[in-house]
Amino acid sequence: MQVTTKGIVLSSIKYGDTSLISRIYTDSDGLKSYLLKGILTAKKGKLKAAYFQPLMQLEINANHKNKGTLESIRDVKVEYHYQSLHTEMTKNSVVLFLAEMLGNSIHEEESNKELFQFLQASLQWLDNHDKIANFHLFFLLSLTKYLGFYPDTENFSASCFDLVDGVFVDYPSGSAFITDENLVLFKQLLGTNFDTIHSIIMKKTNRQELLKSIVLYYEMHLQGFRKPKSLAVLNEVFS
């Protein structure tokens, strides 16, 4: 079936000497994997390797067999042209980390337009703003709304956040929880939006500890989730 859809690149890996396999989250069909034959050596043609960098926003014309095999792309164009995401070192580090997190979190081959629109708008916001030190924390917390394990805020005034059960409690049931100064910042993140995340002031140690807790939260609530290799690099960038 021939499909024209918007898509966000999650990853691209080399296949043989001349080709790529690219995993793209599409608006029409969720996660799809495409074999891009000969793209690394092609001097002409509509498909260029530069289009398949992490988190690129594309419009693709593809053939979808929907049989669980690699699909093919007939034509592609950039749907949104980033100005800074792949050229500024800090933003590029965020992009690599978030692409890995998304690749480890999203597996459904079905359309989820709300999730797609969230990713689309969030990445465009990141591209157009400079005060981004807290962006990845807020992005990952917001993403849990679409993945089905957003923190339950019913007991918001409690003194701990239990990572296992995803609830605020006064007495956590296990050893994985957020408390004290980090809890205050965690609650502030839950109560903000992209345009005000810069107003949350936190030390580098708090930012690193919160990120570690949020990644652990993903590990606990997503089957098969793997801790991203780029986590250490991101912590170094924001230190």
Side-chain angles (χ1 to χ4, degrees):
M1 180 174 63
Q2 189 168 322
V3 176
T4 298
T5 181
K6 295 177 182 179
I8 297 173
V9 179
L10 301 188
S11 66
S12 296
I13 59 171
K14 192 174 180 181
Y15 180 74
D17 294 327
T18 64
S19 304
L20 290 176
I21 293 176
S22 187
R23 297 174 73 233
I24 300 178
Y25 187 66
T26 68
D27 186 25
S28 63
D29 294 278
L31 185 63
K32 286 289 184 182
S33 294
Y34 299 93
L35 176 59
L36 309 170
K37 291 183 178 180
I39 194 171
L40 297 178
T41 54
K43 296 181 179 179
K44 296 182 180 179
K46 299 175 181 178
L47 303 185
K48 302 181 187 302
Y51 291 165
F52 299 92
Q53 298 178 73
L55 303 189
M56 285 288 285
Q57 298 189 27
L58 306 174
E59 181 178 287
I60 60 177
N61 184 279
N63 288 321
H64 286 177
K65 296 180 181 178
N66 297 318
K67 294 182 179 179
T69 57
L70 294 173
E71 311 286 16
S72 61
I73 293 178
R74 297 163 56 92
D75 192 10
V76 63
K77 64 180 181 181
V78 177
E79 198 273 329
Y80 177 85
H81 292 269
Y82 292 128
Q83 302 302 309
S84 61
L85 232 57
H86 293 109
T87 54
E88 292 184 9
M89 185 188 73
T90 300
K91 289 186 179 181
N92 193 50
S93 298
V94 173
V95 163
L96 294 176
F97 170 72
L98 293 182
E100 196 174 358
M101 285 291 293
L102 289 167
N104 290 342
S105 304
I106 299 174
H107 305 289
E108 290 74 25
E109 289 193 29
E110 57 186 37
S111 177
N112 184 337
K113 291 191 177 296
E114 289 186 354
L115 172 56
F116 187 87
Q117 289 168 4
F118 164 74
L119 297 178
Q120 198 176 33
S122 300
L123 295 171
Q124 291 178 22
W125 187 97
L126 177 62
D127 186 50
N128 288 296
H129 291 79
D130 296 320
K131 296 178 180 180
I132 63 163
N134 298 328
F135 175 88
H136 55 297
L137 300 176
F138 181 68
F139 175 91
L140 291 176
L141 283 177
S142 300
L143 180 61
T144 63
K145 293 178 184 177
Y146 306 94
L147 300 179
F149 57 101
Y150 188 72
D152 184 339
T153 58
E154 183 177 353
N155 195 22
F156 195 69
S157 61
S159 58
C160 294
F161 179 73
D162 189 319
L163 293 167
V164 177
D165 295 326
V167 296
F168 289 92
V169 294
D170 288 316
Y171 303 100
S173 58
S175 59
F177 55 89
I178 301 173
T179 189
D180 299 329
E181 189 176 15
N182 286 338
L183 182 72
V184 174
L185 296 168
F186 184 75
K187 289 180 177 180
Q188 289 178 13
L189 285 168
L190 290 175
T192 191
N193 57 56
F194 281 116
D195 289 330
T196 57
I197 51 174
H198 67 276
S199 64
I200 301 175
I201 308 301
M202 64 178 80
K203 294 176 289 189
K204 65 179 182 181
T205 52
N206 293 117
R207 186 174 290 111
Q208 290 174 351
E209 289 166 0
L210 274 174
L211 181 56
K212 182 179 178 181
S213 293
I214 292 170
V215 171
L216 179 59
Y217 188 51
Y218 272 67
E219 284 187 80
M220 290 177 165
H221 292 269
L222 289 176
Q223 187 174 4
F225 179 86
R226 303 186 309 277
K227 184 180 295 185
K229 297 176 181 178
S230 53
L231 178 60
V233 176
L234 188 69
N235 278 330
E236 185 67 26
V237 166
F238 284 112
S239 65

